[in-house]
């Protein structure tokens, strides 16, 4: 069975976004270069990315237009198959890259069904709405020390 | 090095930040154990809340869990309480007046580091008042799901991690230094303070 890996970037007191919905409490710093390499290794270990609608909208404004010489994870992130859980979107284009597939309805049921299929691991990149509703049913929570940033 | 004593807060937390009743989720291994003598070596005073005092006064005087038993039974203990204490414990003094003013005064008296162990309300009050110098956390690989959380209701605070390790059984042990306004240190990390959306609540 495929593993579902929940990844979140948090403040020490457990916030996944600030009041403006951003991650601006992660200031650009030297440590980002370490976490970028760590993140690339993580993305190379998964074969699908799961996103909530809000994170999709945040990511799609940045990542499809970004090249690997600017952000080392860009090509890997852009080329991975993606699912977006949303009852309001009808499609989820990803710039010049293949579009994400939109999943309507019960996200937990869909994830349970997909976990039975072939593949390696799954990632929920920053989609805090989604894992909240399905956290009881994740088979694996691989929260690395890097994910729980101070 | 200035002559001012450091305030060092030490807490055992679950991953979701619960500090209450750590016995229900916290285990020990050699790396967690090894942290204790290192921490208490520089401390010659501790500040305890009433609840922690009342629990500990029943346990530590007869305990043989070393080196903490010898340390806590002999160290100067200042207890933040507005009620009389249940039981006497050697070298204990009730804090008179405001806690923050008391601690600021204590910091400028001669002595070693001043520890805060457990004592959630005391830790929160001192963190909010910006008088804490270091925060040492041992974070269990567990989501407790319920209980009082250490970092709830605080203003935004910038931290710098000065040491960290993951113990063999998955405990994250981190020493943070609190970064003061006007400090030369670049903020390397932050707590968010109230506001924003948590992944579990």
């Amino acid at each position: 069975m495929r593993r579902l890996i929940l990844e979140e970037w948090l403040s020490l007191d457990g916030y996944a976004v600030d009041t403006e919905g951003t991650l601006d409490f992660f200031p650009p710093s030297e440590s980002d270069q370490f976490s970028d390499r760590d993140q690339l290794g993580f993305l190379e270990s998964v074969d699908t990315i799961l996103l909530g609608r809000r994170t999709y909208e945040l990511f799609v404004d940045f990542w499809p237009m970004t090249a690997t010489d600017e952000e080392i994870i860009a090509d890997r992130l852009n080329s991975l198959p993606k699912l977006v859980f949303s009852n309001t979107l009808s499609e989820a284009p990803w710039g010049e890259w293949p579009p994400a597939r939109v999943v309507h309805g019960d996200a937990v049921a869909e994830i349970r069904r997909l976990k039975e299929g072939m593949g390696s691991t799954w990632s929920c990149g920053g989609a805090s709405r989604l894992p909240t509703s399905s956290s009881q049913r994740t088979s694996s929570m691989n929260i690395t020390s890097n994910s729980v940033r101070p | 090095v200035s002559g001012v004593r450091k305030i060092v807060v030490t807490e055992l937390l679950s991953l979701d930040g619960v500090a209450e009743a750590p016995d229900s989720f916290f285990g020990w291994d050699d790396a967690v154990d090894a942290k204790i003598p290192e921490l208490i070596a520089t401390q010659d005073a501790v500040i305890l809340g009433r609840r922690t005092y009342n629990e500990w006064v029943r346990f530590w005087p007869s305990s043989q869990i070393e080196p903490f038993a010898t340390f806590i039974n002999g160290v100067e203990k200042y207890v933040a309480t507005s009620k009389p204490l249940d039981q006497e414990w050697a070298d204990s003094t009730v804090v008179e007046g405001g806690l923050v003013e008391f601690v600021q005064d204590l910091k400028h008296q001669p002595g070693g580091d001043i520890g805060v162990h457990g004592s959630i309300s005391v830790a929160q009050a001192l963190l909010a008042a910006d008088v804490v110098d270091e925060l040492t956390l041992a974070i269990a690989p567990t989501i407790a799901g319920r209980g009082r959380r250490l970092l709830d209701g605080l203003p935004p605070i910038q931290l710098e991690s000065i040491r960290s390790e993951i113990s063999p059984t998955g405990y994250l042990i981190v020493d943070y230094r609190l970064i003061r306004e006007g400090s030369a240190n670049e903020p390397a990390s932050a707590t968010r303070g109230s506001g924003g959306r948590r992944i579990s609540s």
Side-chain angles (χ1 to χ4, degrees), chain B residues 143-158:
Chain B
I143 295 173
R146 56 199 277 180
R148 291 170 72 203
R149 280 197 284 232
L150 175 68
L151 301 172
D152 275 0
L154 293 177
I157 296 171
Q158 299 294 325

Side-chain angles (χ1 to χ4, degrees), chain A residues 9-11 15-18 22-27 150, chain B residues 188-192:
Chain A
W9 288 39
L10 302 179
S11 66
Y15 286 100
V17 292
D18 64 16
T22 77
L23 283 163
D24 288 351
F25 49 87
F26 284 92
Chain B
S189 39
T191 70
R192 198 57 221 145

